[in-house]
Short mmCIF file of all heavy atoms in Angstrom, two decimals:
data_model
loop_
_atom_site.label_atom_id
_atom_site.label_comp_id
_atom_site.label_asym_id
_atom_site.label_seq_id
_atom_site.Cartn_x
_atom_site.Cartn_y
_atom_site.Cartn_z
N LEU H 33 131.98 41.23 143.48
CA LEU H 33 133.00 40.24 143.60
C LEU H 33 132.52 38.79 143.70
O LEU H 33 133.34 37.86 143.87
CB LEU H 33 133.90 40.57 144.76
CG LEU H 33 134.64 41.96 144.62
CD1 LEU H 33 135.57 42.18 145.88
CD2 LEU H 33 135.43 42.08 143.34
N ASN H 34 131.16 38.57 143.59
CA ASN H 34 130.67 37.26 143.60
C ASN H 34 130.58 36.65 142.15
O ASN H 34 129.85 37.23 141.34
CB ASN H 34 129.32 37.16 144.22
CG ASN H 34 128.77 35.76 144.40
OD1 ASN H 34 129.13 34.85 143.75
ND2 ASN H 34 127.78 35.67 145.26
N PRO H 35 131.36 35.65 141.80
CA PRO H 35 131.34 35.09 140.47
C PRO H 35 130.00 34.59 139.97
O PRO H 35 129.67 34.59 138.79
CB PRO H 35 132.39 33.99 140.43
CG PRO H 35 132.69 33.74 141.88
CD PRO H 35 132.30 34.92 142.72
N LEU H 36 129.10 34.22 140.96
CA LEU H 36 127.75 33.74 140.55
C LEU H 36 126.87 34.82 140.02
O LEU H 36 125.85 34.54 139.47
CB LEU H 36 127.11 33.01 141.83
CG LEU H 36 127.83 31.74 142.26
CD1 LEU H 36 127.17 31.24 143.56
CD2 LEU H 36 127.95 30.75 141.16
N ASN H 37 127.31 36.13 140.29
CA ASN H 37 126.48 37.14 139.65
C ASN H 37 126.70 37.56 138.19
O ASN H 37 126.08 38.44 137.77
CB ASN H 37 126.72 38.38 140.54
CG ASN H 37 126.16 38.32 141.93
OD1 ASN H 37 125.20 37.69 142.19
ND2 ASN H 37 126.80 38.95 142.91
N TRP H 38 127.67 36.88 137.62
CA TRP H 38 128.04 37.17 136.23
C TRP H 38 127.74 36.07 135.29
O TRP H 38 128.11 34.88 135.58
CB TRP H 38 129.51 37.54 136.26
CG TRP H 38 129.80 38.76 137.17
CD1 TRP H 38 130.26 38.68 138.47
CD2 TRP H 38 129.44 40.08 136.92
NE1 TRP H 38 130.33 39.90 139.00
CE2 TRP H 38 129.79 40.88 138.08
CE3 TRP H 38 128.86 40.80 135.86
CZ2 TRP H 38 129.67 42.18 138.21
CZ3 TRP H 38 128.70 42.12 135.97
CH2 TRP H 38 129.10 42.84 137.16
N ASP H 39 127.27 36.37 134.07
CA ASP H 39 126.95 35.38 133.06
C ASP H 39 128.22 34.65 132.63
O ASP H 39 128.12 33.39 132.22
CB ASP H 39 126.29 35.99 131.80
CG ASP H 39 124.81 36.37 132.08
OD1 ASP H 39 124.22 35.84 133.03
OD2 ASP H 39 124.30 37.22 131.31
N CYS H 40 129.37 35.27 132.66
CA CYS H 40 130.60 34.61 132.24
C CYS H 40 131.12 33.55 133.22
O CYS H 40 132.12 32.96 132.96
CB CYS H 40 131.63 35.68 132.00
SG CYS H 40 132.19 36.68 133.43
N GLY H 41 130.52 33.54 134.53
CA GLY H 41 130.91 32.60 135.47
C GLY H 41 132.01 33.02 136.38
O GLY H 41 132.53 32.22 137.16
N GLY H 42 132.52 34.18 136.15
CA GLY H 42 133.70 34.68 136.97
C GLY H 42 133.55 36.17 137.22
O GLY H 42 132.76 36.86 136.46
N VAL H 43 134.26 36.60 138.11
CA VAL H 43 134.30 38.11 138.43
C VAL H 43 134.96 38.85 137.26
O VAL H 43 135.98 38.39 136.76
CB VAL H 43 135.15 38.40 139.72
CG1 VAL H 43 135.23 39.86 140.02
CG2 VAL H 43 134.38 37.66 140.88
N PRO H 44 134.36 40.02 136.76
CA PRO H 44 134.94 40.65 135.70
C PRO H 44 136.42 41.04 135.88
O PRO H 44 136.82 41.36 137.06
CB PRO H 44 134.07 41.93 135.53
CG PRO H 44 132.75 41.54 136.15
CD PRO H 44 133.15 40.61 137.26
N THR H 45 137.18 41.06 134.83
CA THR H 45 138.59 41.45 134.86
C THR H 45 138.78 42.57 133.87
O THR H 45 137.84 43.03 133.26
CB THR H 45 139.53 40.29 134.56
OG1 THR H 45 139.35 39.93 133.15
CG2 THR H 45 139.32 39.11 135.47
N THR H 46 140.04 43.00 133.72
CA THR H 46 140.31 44.09 132.78
C THR H 46 140.20 43.70 131.33
O THR H 46 140.27 44.49 130.40
CB THR H 46 141.70 44.60 132.95
OG1 THR H 46 142.68 43.53 132.85
CG2 THR H 46 141.93 45.23 134.35
N THR H 47 139.79 42.42 131.03
CA THR H 47 139.47 42.00 129.72
C THR H 47 137.94 41.66 129.47
O THR H 47 137.62 41.10 128.42
CB THR H 47 140.27 40.68 129.35
OG1 THR H 47 139.92 39.68 130.26
CG2 THR H 47 141.79 41.01 129.39
N THR H 48 137.17 42.03 130.50
CA THR H 48 135.71 41.75 130.46
C THR H 48 134.92 42.95 130.04
O THR H 48 135.09 44.09 130.58
CB THR H 48 135.27 41.21 131.81
OG1 THR H 48 136.05 40.18 132.31
CG2 THR H 48 133.81 40.70 131.69
N ASP H 49 134.05 42.78 129.07
CA ASP H 49 133.08 43.86 128.80
C ASP H 49 131.75 43.60 129.54
O ASP H 49 131.13 42.56 129.38
CB ASP H 49 132.65 43.77 127.24
CG ASP H 49 133.89 44.14 126.42
OD1 ASP H 49 134.55 45.16 126.68
OD2 ASP H 49 134.17 43.39 125.41
N VAL H 50 131.47 44.47 130.48
CA VAL H 50 130.31 44.31 131.41
C VAL H 50 129.12 45.03 130.83
O VAL H 50 129.24 46.21 130.46
CB VAL H 50 130.68 44.89 132.84
CG1 VAL H 50 129.45 44.93 133.72
CG2 VAL H 50 131.79 44.04 133.49
N ILE H 51 127.96 44.38 130.83
CA ILE H 51 126.67 44.95 130.42
C ILE H 51 125.77 44.76 131.69
O ILE H 51 125.48 43.62 132.06
CB ILE H 51 126.18 44.28 129.20
CG1 ILE H 51 127.14 44.53 128.02
CG2 ILE H 51 124.78 44.88 128.83
CD1 ILE H 51 126.75 43.80 126.74
N ILE H 52 125.15 45.83 132.12
CA ILE H 52 124.18 45.76 133.18
C ILE H 52 122.85 46.02 132.46
O ILE H 52 122.60 47.08 131.89
CB ILE H 52 124.35 46.93 134.21
CG1 ILE H 52 125.81 46.88 134.78
CG2 ILE H 52 123.34 46.85 135.31
CD1 ILE H 52 126.22 45.64 135.50
N PRO H 53 121.91 45.02 132.38
CA PRO H 53 120.65 45.03 131.65
C PRO H 53 119.71 46.08 132.29
O PRO H 53 119.79 46.47 133.45
CB PRO H 53 120.20 43.61 131.73
CG PRO H 53 120.71 43.08 132.99
CD PRO H 53 122.09 43.72 133.17
N ILE H 54 118.72 46.39 131.50
CA ILE H 54 117.66 47.31 131.96
C ILE H 54 116.91 46.71 133.11
O ILE H 54 116.63 47.42 134.13
CB ILE H 54 116.70 47.64 130.79
CG1 ILE H 54 117.33 48.56 129.75
CG2 ILE H 54 115.43 48.27 131.27
CD1 ILE H 54 116.52 48.79 128.57
N SER H 55 116.56 45.47 133.09
CA SER H 55 115.89 44.79 134.13
C SER H 55 116.47 43.54 134.48
O SER H 55 116.61 42.67 133.66
CB SER H 55 114.40 44.65 133.75
OG SER H 55 113.70 43.98 134.76
N VAL H 56 116.81 43.42 135.80
CA VAL H 56 117.26 42.12 136.31
C VAL H 56 116.19 41.46 137.07
O VAL H 56 115.58 42.12 137.96
CB VAL H 56 118.60 42.35 137.13
CG1 VAL H 56 118.99 41.07 137.80
CG2 VAL H 56 119.67 42.94 136.37
N SER H 57 115.87 40.22 136.78
CA SER H 57 114.69 39.63 137.39
C SER H 57 114.78 39.55 138.95
O SER H 57 113.83 39.51 139.61
CB SER H 57 114.53 38.25 136.89
OG SER H 57 115.61 37.38 137.10
N THR H 58 116.03 39.43 139.47
CA THR H 58 116.20 39.42 140.95
C THR H 58 116.20 40.78 141.49
O THR H 58 115.93 40.90 142.78
CB THR H 58 117.55 38.78 141.28
OG1 THR H 58 118.61 39.65 140.77
CG2 THR H 58 117.69 37.36 140.81
N GLY H 59 116.30 41.86 140.78
CA GLY H 59 116.28 43.26 141.34
C GLY H 59 117.65 43.54 141.92
O GLY H 59 117.90 44.66 142.53
N ASN H 60 118.68 42.63 141.81
CA ASN H 60 119.93 42.93 142.29
C ASN H 60 120.85 43.59 141.27
O ASN H 60 120.90 43.21 140.17
CB ASN H 60 120.64 41.59 142.72
CG ASN H 60 120.05 40.93 143.97
OD1 ASN H 60 119.39 41.57 144.75
ND2 ASN H 60 120.16 39.66 143.96
N TYR H 61 121.51 44.70 141.67
CA TYR H 61 122.46 45.39 140.85
C TYR H 61 123.78 45.38 141.53
O TYR H 61 123.82 45.45 142.82
CB TYR H 61 121.94 46.83 140.46
CG TYR H 61 120.71 46.71 139.56
CD1 TYR H 61 119.44 46.85 140.06
CD2 TYR H 61 120.87 46.40 138.23
CE1 TYR H 61 118.40 46.80 139.20
CE2 TYR H 61 119.81 46.39 137.31
CZ TYR H 61 118.60 46.57 137.84
OH TYR H 61 117.50 46.40 137.04
N PRO H 62 124.93 45.44 140.85
CA PRO H 62 126.17 45.34 141.43
C PRO H 62 126.45 46.48 142.40
O PRO H 62 126.22 47.65 142.11
CB PRO H 62 127.23 45.34 140.29
CG PRO H 62 126.42 45.20 139.03
CD PRO H 62 124.99 45.49 139.33
N ILE H 63 127.08 46.12 143.54
CA ILE H 63 127.60 47.11 144.52
C ILE H 63 129.11 46.85 144.74
O ILE H 63 129.47 45.65 144.98
CB ILE H 63 126.81 47.07 145.79
CG1 ILE H 63 125.32 47.45 145.55
CG2 ILE H 63 127.50 48.00 146.85
CD1 ILE H 63 124.50 47.27 146.80
N ILE H 64 129.89 47.86 144.69
CA ILE H 64 131.30 47.72 145.11
C ILE H 64 131.41 48.37 146.45
O ILE H 64 131.22 49.58 146.60
CB ILE H 64 132.25 48.39 144.11
CG1 ILE H 64 132.08 47.63 142.75
CG2 ILE H 64 133.72 48.30 144.55
CD1 ILE H 64 132.81 48.28 141.55
#
């Protein structure tokens, strides 16, 4: 739910296609 975690600059909505990459440089992956 942190908009700074998303390339689109906002929290994903029902119109957003989410892609979780193979490697994130920070090592952070989304948690709900």
Side-chain angles (χ1 to χ4, degrees):
L33 299 179
N34 183 341
L36 297 176
N37 289 331
W38 301 101
D39 286 340
C40 62
V43 175
T45 67
T46 57
T47 61
T48 308
D49 296 312
V50 171
I51 299 172
I52 308 299
I54 288 176
S55 177
V56 174
S57 61
T58 62
N60 293 332
Y61 292 98
I63 297 175
I64 300 173

